Amino acid sequence: MKERLKTILLVVLVVGSLLQSYVLIFRFPGSDSVVQSKNAYIRTEEMGPEEKAENLLFPDKMIIHLGEDQHTVFYPNDTFYNLVYNRLKGRTFDNFQRRMVSNIDWAKVRSENRGIELSFDSGIPVTLLQRVMQIVPDSLFEGESINKIWLYSVEGEAKIHVMFFSTKGDVVYEAAQADLTVQDVDQLVDFGLSWTPYKMVNGRYYTPEKELNMVSIELPIGEYTVEQMQRSLFFDPSITRNIREKDGSEIYTDSKRSLQVDQGQKWISYTDPAAPPSGESSPGKDVLSAIDFVNQHGGWNGTYRLAKAGESEDRTLVKFQQYYGGYPILNTPGFQYGVMELDLQQGTVTSYERSLLYLESAALKKQMVKLTGGEALEAKLKPYIEEKNMVIGLDPAYLPVRRGEGLLLKPVWALELQNGSVITLE
């Protein structure tokens, strides 16, 4: 009897020991298995908050065409911008027909017809646009990226026209079926009647006919540490080594991945050239992978918008633009801030750039200022216009300026030039 009890006790101890070993090796309380592939990333701590893809997909501006060559512009966070965009997101668009852009006189449409133009900067894949708008799947249309949606009515016609412009530049898709009436569009357009009037310049950009009110604000800044980013980006931070460059920057590497830190500008550049391909990809899928990556490695402190999702050879370049209120925060050579940029190959992130700094919410200083408009703005633009129409875009923006422990967001006009550079006018 005693021998049998000893045997049972021994079996219980052995089984208990095996279970304990399993728990210690494979699990931590409240977490998944810690046995991971050598290429996996470990999320070791909470940094910035996560964000849903849908909250990063919105137009950079909305142009309202009032007819008789009158126009106005709504920017993100404007009351009417939100109202119009939310109304349009609830409508259904179907039965897409492909047309050539050159077959329609767009200058005439712009000047004579009432309508709404949504601008998506350098473009958004249709598969992502379907996440925020009721676009019925269409094999002809789904592989495209769209940089503009234009809804307009023509006098005497009972239906509206809804045009989706391809980033390729020569093709536009018309949604032959849309549950919007002429009265619906007229009602939305009427929101622009009491707004600041704008006029089109050289068929490329709009200027306000009077001064534009903006808020100049100084906010305190927080900072992620290099150690936090190391723990977030490297499988085993303890095996990384530090290399100091002649320009003062530092590089942390585990022989495969590298993290370059510009301590002066508080800017990081992470590369993983040996990242394994994960299979088939597309710009839409790559953007979602990029969002997941940022969610796990730094997060989003503030409002961001998808500004770019472009293919280049075998990779996808993804850029997220930071906003304050309804206006973008510029990234400049003198002070890198306001954007996150990622390169992906077959759905896997191979490079990641961002600032270590982020804005806190409580304002240090705040005042209303006026951005130049009308003839005064035209005079400032004249040298650039005369030089072979260099200006291709003009938008209000914030220029970030370091002020001790704070960051001043200074209202400026941002001029986008043909060569891709941006010039600011205060």
Side-chain angles (χ1 to χ4, degrees):
M1 185 66 178
K2 289 183 180 180
E3 293 300 323
R4 182 178 295 178
L5 289 174
K6 288 180 180 179
T7 302
I8 293 173
L9 182 58
L10 181 60
V11 170
V12 171
L13 290 173
V14 170
V15 171
S17 178
L18 289 173
L19 287 172
Q20 187 178 32
S21 297
Y22 176 86
V23 171
L24 289 173
I25 294 173
F26 291 94
R27 287 195 168 273
F28 289 115
S31 68
D32 293 327
S33 170
V34 299
V35 175
Q36 303 183 31
S37 73
K38 63 182 179 180
N39 295 305
Y41 297 99
I42 302 174
R43 181 165 188 169
T44 57
E45 59 186 282
E46 293 292 331
M47 294 173 67
E50 295 187 4
E51 189 59 276
K52 294 180 180 179
E54 289 77 5
N55 295 332
L56 303 168
L57 309 174
F58 54 91
D60 59 283
K61 58 181 169 288
M62 185 181 295
I63 301 102
I64 306 298
H65 303 291
L66 300 163
E68 300 180 355
D69 205 19
Q70 298 180 50
H71 319 272
T72 191
V73 179
F74 298 154
Y75 297 100
N77 210 43
D78 284 342
T79 301
F80 292 140
Y81 172 104
N82 293 330
L83 194 154
V84 172
Y85 189 42
N86 287 332
R87 292 269 185 93
L88 295 179
K89 286 193 294 184
R91 303 297 184 167
T92 302
F93 305 96
D94 191 9
N95 191 14
F96 294 91
Q97 300 175 3
R98 179 171 172 155
R99 306 183 187 282
M100 300 304 295
V101 169
S102 57
N103 290 343
I104 299 175
D105 185 346
W106 297 105
K108 182 178 180 181
V109 171
R110 180 186 299 113
S111 62
E112 296 182 2
N113 301 296
R114 289 164 63 86
I116 302 163
E117 192 177 336
L118 308 183
S119 168
F120 287 93
D121 208 355
S122 60
I124 177 174
V126 169
T127 53
L128 292 180
L129 198 56
Q130 288 174 324
R131 298 175 74 99
V132 291
M133 300 186 74
Q134 307 303 310
I135 297 173
V136 177
D138 186 299
S139 57
L140 175 69
F141 184 48
E142 281 188 333
E144 292 282 0
S145 285
I146 300 301
N147 59 14
K148 180 166 57 180
I149 302 174
W150 197 336
L151 307 91
Y152 64 92
S153 60
V154 176
E155 189 173 353
E157 294 186 8
K159 61 167 283 185
I160 66 162
H161 297 270
V162 184
M163 301 294 191
F164 292 75
F165 288 73
S166 169
T167 53
K168 295 174 183 175
D170 59 345
V171 175
V172 62
Y173 293 84
E174 181 170 9
Q177 295 180 12
D179 61 345
L180 277 164
T181 65
V182 172
Q183 290 73 27
D184 290 330
V185 173
D186 278 344
Q187 184 184 53
L188 296 177
V189 168
D190 284 345
F191 290 132
L193 290 173
S194 59
W195 215 251
T196 302
Y198 280 70
K199 70 176 182 179
M200 168 64 77
V201 179
N202 295 333
R204 296 187 175 191
Y205 57 92
Y206 293 84
T207 59
E209 295 186 15
K210 59 182 183 180
E211 294 175 320
L212 190 69
N213 290 323
M214 282 183 69
V215 175
S216 174
I217 188 166
E218 185 176 339
L219 296 159
I221 50 178
E223 180 181 342
Y224 296 136
T225 66
V226 175
E227 290 74 20
Q228 282 180 299
M229 295 308 301
Q230 276 186 277
R231 289 194 295 268
S232 173
L233 291 166
F234 291 99
F235 176 71
D236 184 359
S238 66
I239 65 172
T240 61
R241 56 194 177 91
N242 176 270
I243 304 170
R244 187 176 293 276
E245 299 287 276
K246 292 180 179 179
D247 61 2
S249 64
E250 293 182 287
I251 297 177
Y252 299 83
T253 179
D254 62 359
S255 298
K256 292 182 179 179
R257 306 179 179 100
S258 68
L259 175 66
Q260 184 169 6
V261 182
D262 184 334
Q263 290 288 4
Q265 299 211 35
K266 302 299 181 182
W267 185 261
I268 63 164
S269 300
Y270 168 78
T271 57
D272 186 4
S278 60
E280 293 184 6
S281 67
S282 65
K285 290 180 180 178
D286 285 346
V287 168
L288 296 178
S289 294
I291 293 171
D292 286 341
F293 189 92
V294 176
N295 280 341
Q296 297 169 18
H297 307 294
W300 315 80
N301 284 92
T303 300
Y304 284 81
R305 181 184 64 82
L306 174 66
K308 184 175 184 179
E311 290 183 285
S312 177
E313 297 178 353
D314 62 342
R315 62 190 185 127
T316 301
L317 312 175
V318 180
K319 175 181 176 181
F320 299 102
Q321 174 69 59
Q322 186 175 1
Y323 275 66
Y324 183 81
Y327 308 104
I329 302 175
L330 298 177
N331 182 41
T332 66
F335 180 46
Q336 290 185 285
Y337 186 80
V339 297
M340 296 187 198
E341 296 181 318
L342 301 94
D343 281 6
L344 295 94
Q345 290 185 336
Q346 295 183 303
T348 301
V349 173
T350 57
S351 75
Y352 174 42
E353 295 190 37
R354 66 173 294 159
S355 177
L356 291 173
L357 303 176
Y358 57 87
L359 295 174
E360 304 280 8
S361 57
L364 299 173
K365 293 180 182 179
K366 188 176 182 180
Q367 65 174 336
M368 187 68 71
V369 299
K370 292 183 181 293
L371 271 185
T372 305
E375 293 182 358
L377 177 58
E378 290 178 19
K380 289 187 176 184
L381 292 171
K382 191 174 181 180
Y384 304 100
I385 295 174
E386 290 177 346
E387 193 172 337
K388 299 180 181 179
N389 291 326
M390 287 176 60
V391 182
I392 62 173
L394 177 70
D395 290 294
Y398 280 115
L399 180 67
V401 180
R402 285 291 298 272
R403 289 279 182 87
E405 298 301 314
L407 189 67
L408 173 65
L409 298 182
K410 192 174 184 179
V412 295
W413 283 110
L415 283 67
E416 184 182 357
L417 306 183
Q418 283 182 332
N419 62 8
S421 61
V422 174
I423 292 176
T424 61
L425 297 177
E426 298 181 16

